[in-house]
Amino acid sequence: MTAVVSPGYRFVASDGAALHVVPSGPADSAVTLVLVHGWTQDHRTWDFVLPHLDPGVRVVRYDLRGHGRSAHARPGSATIARLADDLAELVADRVPAGPLVLAGHSMGGMTLMVLAERHPSLVASRLAGAAFVATSSGDMDQLTLGFPGLVGRSVTRFEPRLAKLLAGLRSDTLRLRPAMVRSGARRLVFGDRPGREQVDSVVEQLLCAHPASAGLFLDAIASHRGVGGLGALCDVPSVVLAGEKDRLCPLDHAKVIADELPHAEFVRFPGAGHMLPQERPYEVARRISALVRTAVR
């Protein structure tokens, strides 16, 4: 049985930004699962995971500001803190009662950490589970993409330039050839032998992201420090999922998160890269579903 997916609706955040929200599953579910995507992606990140989740659970997916069908990030609003506030406001307005399980991929996982720091009462009263999928709690400004020595240092220096370049673009979408983006994505964000459908999904989402917003969020990711938020999640049932060939959020970043959450399950996926929701959808769904079942009990 497959969950019925709504065509979506518009939620307006407190600063006026309109976010595209896509719910599925029964509204009277005992637990609500909220899935938060990563940088340059949108709610479709979870398309391969969704069929493996219990159709009896209410699932809420949405496009972060600057991504997918949501509004562009206004000046000053392309921050992880603002994403955390958006999530808190969306939950308060559309899921005002009952236990929550939150799962975040990449920048989505960072959003969960900052949510815990900025909205501790929400965590204390509602959060029954958290899944951190291919994400990081900091030091993203030292990213080398796995390259050693001079090449790695060059990557670290290039990232702020890329962020500035993107932030200066005035187009609504990235005007790049899909074939070129597909080749880059296959090498950079996937592990061994990715499927064509999975790569195409990532590329299609990236080409829908707002370039200037993406550049500003790249700066926000570089300055992200989420350890404080993790401290507020120590007693929340959690899972940390990491691809052993992840170039964007390397395995040692995942281990830092797991060390801060001593009761969390730490799962490593050999041969997988950064896009675990596409590369290992069944396994990701299985770990998230375990959190949902714990919340129900």
Side-chain angles (χ1 to χ4, degrees), residues 7-227:
Y9 57 79
R10 183 171 172 264
F11 170 75
V12 181
S14 60
D15 68 346
L19 307 181
H20 179 64
V21 184
V22 181
S24 59
D28 60 351
S29 172
V31 177
T32 299
L33 169 63
V34 183
L35 302 174
V36 190
H37 68 80
W39 183 67
T40 71
Q41 299 294 282
D42 56 47
H43 73 276
R44 293 171 292 174
T45 285
W46 305 100
D47 277 356
F48 297 94
V49 173
L50 195 65
H52 301 294
L53 297 171
D54 181 353
V57 173
R58 183 186 187 190
V59 179
V60 175
R61 298 180 291 162
Y62 66 105
D63 296 344
L64 301 175
R65 58 177 64 209
H67 297 74
R69 294 172 60 184
S70 288
H72 300 166
R74 298 176 181 177
S77 74
T79 66
I80 309 297
R82 181 64 248 189
L83 295 183
D85 291 347
D86 287 346
L87 176 54
E89 292 173 11
L90 175 62
V91 165
D93 187 77
R94 300 302 171 105
V95 196
L100 297 166
V101 172
L102 305 178
H105 172 246
S106 194
M107 189 170 71
M110 300 174 194
T111 300
L112 304 193
M113 299 173 204
V114 178
L115 175 81
E117 193 164 20
R118 291 175 66 85
H119 301 275
S121 61
L122 173 62
V123 170
S125 63
R126 305 277 310 279
L127 192 58
F132 297 94
V133 184
T135 188
S136 172
S137 63
D139 292 333
M140 292 294 287
D141 54 344
Q142 302 302 312
L143 194 66
T144 67
L145 300 182
F147 294 107
L150 179 61
V151 177
R153 290 193 294 273
S154 297
V155 170
T156 302
R157 290 194 296 269
F158 175 70
E159 185 179 304
R161 299 174 189 172
L162 175 61
K164 185 176 181 180
L165 173 65
L166 290 172
L169 295 178
R170 293 293 174 261
S171 59
D172 284 340
T173 57
L174 284 168
R175 295 171 181 171
L176 299 173
R177 293 176 59 188
M180 180 182 70
V181 180
R182 187 180 299 112
S183 176
R186 182 182 293 274
R187 289 169 172 77
L188 183 61
V189 300
F190 284 93
D192 298 336
R193 298 183 297 277
R196 176 64 182 261
E197 185 181 8
Q198 285 74 24
V199 175
D200 285 349
S201 172
V202 168
V203 170
E204 183 178 348
Q205 292 171 66
L206 185 151
L207 293 175
C208 289
H210 181 235
S213 298
L216 294 170
F217 276 120
L218 191 56
D219 272 340
I221 289 170
S223 61
H224 169 67
R225 298 294 181 270
V227 173

Side-chain angles (χ1 to χ4, degrees), residues 104-106 131-136 189 191 239-258 265-277 279-280 283-284 287:
H105 172 246
S106 194
F132 297 94
V133 184
T135 188
S136 172
V189 300
V239 63
V240 180
L241 308 180
E244 292 190 352
K245 293 193 173 182
D246 190 337
R247 291 176 175 269
L248 296 189
C249 294
L251 195 62
D252 58 341
H253 286 222
K255 191 173 186 310
V256 169
I257 299 172
E265 181 186 12
F266 182 28
V267 184
R268 299 163 53 153
F269 295 98
H274 186 62
M275 305 309 297
L276 289 180
E279 295 180 79
R280 301 291 188 272
E283 291 91 339
V284 170
R287 264 69 185 205

